[in-house]
Each structure stands twice: as C-alpha cells, then as structure tokens.
C-alpha cells in the first residue's frame, strides 16, 4: 500500500537530502507528485524528474501543462529525455507532440525506435479530437481459435506491459474485430473451451474517425471502461480506456463553459495563461456584444418623447431585459445539456419548440400577474400595470422560444450549440425584449 503524505519537496532539495526525497517520491502516485511539484520552478522540477524511475517520470511528465513540458525539455539531458519519451504511452506521446513546435517534434521523434515512431505518427494522422488520437495500441489481443488455457497463458506472459487486461479484443488473422472477452469470463471458463465460445460476438466499438465527445457518450451509455477502436474496414487499431475519456469529458465541459461565456476557448489552466492572452481571448466577443447591445440606444431614442411624457415606463425597462435574459438562459442551458448527453437530437426540434411555447405561456401568465401587482405598488394606474404585464408576458414567451431554437440553429449551421448560450443569448433577448416592450406599452398607453 502506497503512503500518501504532504511533502515539502523544496526543503529536501535545499538541504540536499535527495536519498530521502527519492524514497518518498517512489511511494507516491503520479497525480500526487504532480501536485507536489506544481509550484516548483523548472530547475527544481528537473531535479525531481532525475530522482523518479523512468516509467513514473513518463506518467508525471504526460500530465504536465504544455508550457511546463517545454521548459523541462530544454533542461533535460538527452539520455533522460529519451527515456521519458520512449516510456510514455503512445496516445500521451501523440498529445504531447501535437502541442510542440515543429523543431521540438523532430527532436523528440528522433529519440524513438522505428516502431514507436510509426505508431506515434499514425496517431497524429487522425483528425484532431477524434478517437484515433486517444487510441493506445498497447492492448492484449486474443484470437477466436485460441483455447481458454492458451489465452490465459498469453495474458500471463504479455499482460503486464499492456494498458489493461480486464477486457480484450478478439481478432482474426487480418486483425478484423470479431468480439471482446472479459478476464473474469476466461478465469471461470473451461480451460479446453475456445475463446470464440465465451466472447461477446457483438461488441461495442468506435471508428478511429469518431469524434471524442461521441466516444465519451458511448462509453457512458453502455457503462464501458474499455472500447475497441477500428479502421473503416473494422480492423483493430487499439483501445480507448476510461481514464482517457475522463480527460475528454473534462476538456469538453471546459470548452462548453468558455463558449457559453462568449470567449475564445483554451485548454490551458488560468494561471498558465498570460494576462494579455486572456484579454485578447475575451475582447472580440465583448466588442461584438457591446455593439449589438448598443442597438438599445437607438430603440430608446426612437421612443424618447413617449418616455418624456410618461417617465414611469422607464422604471420597468430593467425588468424586461433581465427577466427575458434569465428565461432564455435557463432553457438554452437545458437544451444544450440534453444535446451534450444525447438525450435531445436534431430531429426533436419541433417537439421541443411546441413544448417550450406551452411552458413559456404558463411562465408568462404567472410572471405577468406577479408584475401586475408589483407595478400597482409603484404606480396606481391600471393601464400602466396591464401594459407592462402584457409586455412582460410577450417577452417571456419570445425569450423561452428563442432560447430553445438557437441551439438547434447552431447545429444546423454546424457550430457548437454552447455558443448560443450565456452573453450572446442574453444580448439578443435584451435587444428584442426592449423593442417588444416599447411596442406593446406604446400601443396601449399612447
């Protein structure tokens, strides 16, 4: 059992007590070591990596942020760098090279054996964010004609160096995927029976070109911890394990949050991004939304005389904009989440729109009545109370319907539905809500 402790690595380094530090580090999980060295400068991180066994060093290095990896690559001695790169899993190595400049990529590729280089380049040739980029070829493959006894013997000989042996693909000589078999089924089967007799002959698999988000949905839907990856002719390429899918879910959730906040997406942690980069990633959307929101100024100017003659109307403008924005944000978040989980499909658009028009009407009635009584506390005029309440009802129905439509529209034009939420939707509803408010109130009170 590994011992988990809080270690002040910096103190050990300053005291030169590397023997004790090495003993402690070898007892820690890679994730724990990553936390320990996170705040260390690169010249002290490099000391830690010199103390780690090469396999452990490769696991920790693969989890570092790109800027930390670049800094360490420049400091590593050639032999140590060669050990770490060659010990990394193929999918982690491909992810590393994807982020590196061309000259660094060439340098790192030169450290690999011809077979390792071939595997790495084949992974890099798959589309970005595809299943092929997540695939590890380090899987234990069985043949359907093997006996259970032969399969178990192969597992004992080769399983230690593979990604997992809990579930293994079964192939034929041409590498076409025939099925999958779980380790526990092999253990409890008759040693003289054949693998094809106990394998799942209708396995769940994904193609190398499948989007990584769809892979995550498939593994979640079928409760898989391993999924085979095949090419267009269903020949086995490798497997994707649940730990890689957890990373994908984290990346996709981060990306959706950033898009819903109307900013250019980035996978880098906040403290690893310079202030200027953050400014330029946020600024384009802020400028665009500012210009769109400024249309409200034109609308208000058009009704300037109406406002001057009846100033009480201005008191309800923030209510219209805020309520409309809140309604639209709520429904768009529900629709986008349903799309992300595969619960809502593009063909369901008409069901969703009809459903949300009805729901929006009920919400509009309740909120309209609430505002009617609230407005009577501000102004005793029944006509004012009725007009602002009716205007709010119109805005609520419109905002709820638009919030449901925009994610489907985004899919239709092949952009991420998450873009249609947050500040963008709020701004659209604000502008249209003010227009509707003045049209309704002016037509009743003029």
């Amino acid at each position: 059992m590994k011992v988990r402790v809080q270690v002040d690595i910096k103190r050990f380094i300053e005291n030169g007590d590397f023997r004790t530090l090495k003993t402690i580090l070898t007892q820690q999980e890679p994730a724990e070591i990553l936390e320990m060295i996170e705040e260390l400068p690169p010249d002290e991180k490099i000391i830690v990596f010199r103390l780690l066994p090469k396999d452990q060093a490769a696991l920790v290095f693969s989890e570092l942020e790109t800027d930390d990896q670049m800094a360490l690559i420049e400091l590593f001695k050639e032999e140590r760098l060669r050990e770490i790169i060659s010990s990394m899993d193929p999918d982690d190595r491909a992810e590393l090279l994807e982020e590196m400049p061309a000259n660094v990529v060439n340098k790192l590729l030169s450290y690999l054996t011809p077979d390792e280089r071939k595997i790495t380049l084949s992974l890099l040739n798959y589309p970005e964010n595809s299943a092929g980029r997540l695939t590890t070829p380090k899987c234990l493959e069985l043949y359907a004609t093997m006996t259970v006894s032969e399969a178990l013997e192969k597992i004992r000989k080769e399983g230690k160096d593979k990604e997992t042996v809990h579930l293994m693909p079964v192939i034929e000589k041409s590498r076409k995927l025939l099925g999958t078999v779980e380790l526990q089924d092999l253990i409890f089967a008759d040693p003289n029976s054949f693998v094809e007799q106990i394998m799942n002959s209708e396995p769940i698999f994904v193609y190398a070109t499948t989007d990584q988000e769809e892979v995550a949905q498939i593994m979640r839907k079928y409760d898989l911890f391993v999924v085979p990856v095949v090419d267009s002719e269903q020949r086995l390429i490798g497997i994707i394990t649940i730990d890689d899918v957890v990373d994908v879910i984290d990346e996709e959730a981060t990306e959706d949050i950033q898009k819903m906040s109307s900013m250019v997406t980035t996978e880098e942690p906040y403290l690893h991004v310079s202030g200027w980069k953050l400014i330029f990633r946020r600024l384009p959307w802020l400028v665009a939304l500012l210009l769109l929101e400024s249309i409200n100024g034109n609308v208000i100017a058009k009704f300037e005389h109406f406002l001057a003659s009846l100033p009480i109307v201005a008191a309800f403008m923030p209510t219209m904009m805020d309520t409309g924005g809140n309604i639209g944000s709520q429904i768009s978040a529900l629709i986008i989440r349903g799309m992300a989980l595969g619960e809502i499909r593009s063909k369901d658009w008409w069901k969703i729109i009809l459903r949300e028009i009805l729901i929006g009407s009920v919400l509009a009635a309740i909120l309209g009545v609430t505002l009617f009584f609230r407005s009577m506390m501000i102004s005793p005029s029944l006509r004012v109370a009725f007009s602002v309440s009716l205007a709010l009802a119109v805005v609520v129905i419109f905002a709820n319907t638009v919030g449901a439509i925009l994610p489907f529209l985004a899919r239709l034009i092949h952009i991420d539905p998450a873009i249609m939420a947050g500040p963008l939707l709020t701004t659209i509803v604000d502008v249209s809500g003010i227009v509707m408010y003045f049209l309704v109130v002016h037509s009743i009170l003029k």
Side-chain angles (χ1 to χ4, degrees):
M1 180 178 178
K2 290 183 179 293
V3 181
R4 185 173 184 179
V5 294
Q6 292 294 324
V7 180
D8 185 356
I9 290 182
K10 198 173 187 68
R11 180 171 58 82
F12 281 101
I13 293 175
E14 289 173 351
N15 294 338
D17 191 358
F18 301 122
R19 185 185 297 273
T20 304
L21 180 58
K22 183 176 182 178
T23 302
I24 294 173
L25 290 173
T26 54
Q27 296 176 319
Q28 309 306 310
E29 294 291 338
E32 294 162 1
I33 297 174
L34 193 65
E35 290 181 9
M36 295 175 188
I37 67 173
E38 189 173 11
E39 300 299 326
L40 295 179
D43 58 331
E44 293 183 356
K45 280 191 178 84
I46 204 76
I47 294 173
V48 173
F49 275 94
R50 287 171 184 161
L51 299 174
L52 294 173
K54 66 177 183 179
D55 291 337
Q56 196 177 22
L59 289 171
V60 176
F61 185 78
S62 66
E63 296 297 325
L64 288 171
E65 297 302 326
T66 304
D67 54 344
D68 285 337
Q69 289 174 332
M70 278 293 298
L72 291 176
I73 285 172
E74 294 176 1
L75 294 174
F76 277 130
K77 290 183 177 179
E78 185 172 320
E79 187 57 36
R80 186 55 170 166
L81 183 58
R82 186 191 303 273
E83 287 179 352
I84 290 176
I85 296 302
S86 61
S87 298
M88 291 176 71
D89 287 338
D91 52 333
D92 291 334
R93 190 189 301 133
E95 185 179 358
L96 166 68
L97 296 179
E98 185 182 8
E99 303 292 335
M100 297 291 116
N103 61 323
V104 177
V105 171
N106 291 332
K107 176 182 177 182
L108 297 181
L109 285 175
S110 69
Y111 295 150
L112 303 177
T113 65
D115 287 343
E116 290 171 339
R117 193 180 305 119
K118 182 179 178 181
I119 292 171
T120 302
L121 291 175
S122 68
L123 294 180
L124 287 171
N125 284 331
Y126 292 116
E128 188 176 359
N129 297 328
S130 67
R133 292 289 186 97
L134 300 175
T135 302
T136 175
K138 292 174 62 177
C139 61
L140 198 147
E141 304 147 357
L142 301 178
Y143 293 103
T145 54
M146 279 181 166
T147 64
V148 169
S149 177
E150 291 171 339
L152 290 171
E153 182 62 27
K154 184 175 183 180
I155 293 169
R156 280 190 286 269
K157 286 182 178 179
E158 303 176 15
K160 186 177 180 181
D161 299 323
K162 303 301 181 181
E163 186 81 9
T164 180
V165 294
H166 294 295
L167 183 138
M168 291 152 286
V170 181
I171 59 175
E172 60 183 17
K173 295 296 183 181
S174 64
R175 296 193 61 78
K176 185 174 181 179
L177 181 68
L178 299 178
T180 56
V181 63
E182 294 188 23
L183 178 61
Q184 64 179 18
D185 293 334
L186 288 172
I187 292 173
F188 295 113
D190 181 351
N192 296 317
S193 61
F194 292 99
V195 170
E196 63 184 347
Q197 294 176 276
I198 60 171
M199 73 179 185
N200 174 12
S201 57
E202 295 182 359
I204 305 299
F205 63 88
V206 297
Y207 290 97
T209 53
T210 303
D211 185 85
Q212 63 178 17
E213 191 170 2
E214 186 178 344
V215 175
Q217 290 175 358
I218 290 171
M219 294 188 74
R220 181 185 65 84
K221 179 179 179 179
Y222 295 102
D223 291 328
L224 302 176
F225 49 88
V226 177
V227 64
V229 183
V230 299
D231 63 13
S232 58
E233 297 178 1
Q234 294 191 13
R235 291 176 302 198
L236 184 70
I237 296 171
I239 57 173
I240 296 175
T241 54
I242 191 64
D243 57 321
D244 293 317
V245 170
V246 169
D247 292 338
V248 169
I249 294 171
D250 185 43
E251 289 173 12
E252 295 293 341
T254 300
E255 184 178 305
D256 285 347
I257 290 170
Q258 291 171 343
K259 287 179 178 177
M260 292 175 73
S261 302
S262 294
M263 62 178 289
V264 178
T265 59
T266 175
E267 295 178 4
E268 300 171 81
Y270 177 80
L271 293 176
H272 285 255
V273 184
S274 70
W276 282 110
K277 277 188 178 180
L278 287 174
I279 289 171
F280 287 119
R281 282 171 178 166
R282 296 169 61 186
L283 193 59
W285 272 105
L286 291 175
V287 171
L289 295 174
L290 170 65
L291 295 176
L292 183 59
E293 192 77 56
S294 66
I295 296 174
N296 279 339
N298 300 90
V299 177
I300 293 171
K302 184 175 179 61
F303 291 93
E304 182 179 1
H305 297 296
F306 176 59
L307 283 172
S309 63
L310 199 61
I312 189 62
V313 171
F316 297 96
M317 287 167 55
T319 302
M320 298 297 145
M321 293 190 294
D322 292 345
T323 304
N326 293 339
I327 292 286
S329 296
Q330 281 183 338
I331 183 57
S332 67
L334 289 173
I335 299 298
I336 291 168
R337 183 61 178 163
M339 286 179 168
L341 295 176
E343 299 168 350
I344 297 176
R345 296 164 294 180
S346 297
K347 68 178 183 179
D348 297 326
W349 68 270
W350 65 274
K351 297 178 186 176
I352 303 297
I353 303 307
L354 289 177
R355 177 185 173 93
E356 289 308 322
I357 289 175
L358 292 174
I359 292 174
S361 300
V362 174
L363 293 173
I366 296 171
L367 294 174
V369 170
T370 303
L371 183 61
F372 178 87
F373 290 109
R374 178 69 182 92
S375 63
M376 292 295 293
M377 300 178 187
I378 301 173
S379 170
S381 171
L382 286 173
R383 289 184 69 201
V384 170
F386 174 74
S387 63
V388 297
S389 300
L390 180 60
L392 180 67
V394 172
V395 169
V396 167
I397 294 173
F398 174 79
N400 201 61
T401 307
V402 168
I405 289 175
L406 285 180
F408 288 102
L409 180 60
R411 276 203 168 174
L412 182 64
I413 59 179
H414 303 294
I415 62 175
D416 194 322
I419 293 175
M420 294 299 185
L424 178 59
L425 175 63
T426 302
T427 303
I428 292 172
V429 172
D430 282 354
V431 174
S432 52
I434 283 294
V435 173
M436 292 177 184
Y437 173 59
F438 276 115
L439 290 176
V440 173
V441 173
H442 183 262
S443 64
I444 295 174
L445 299 180
K446 67 181 180 179

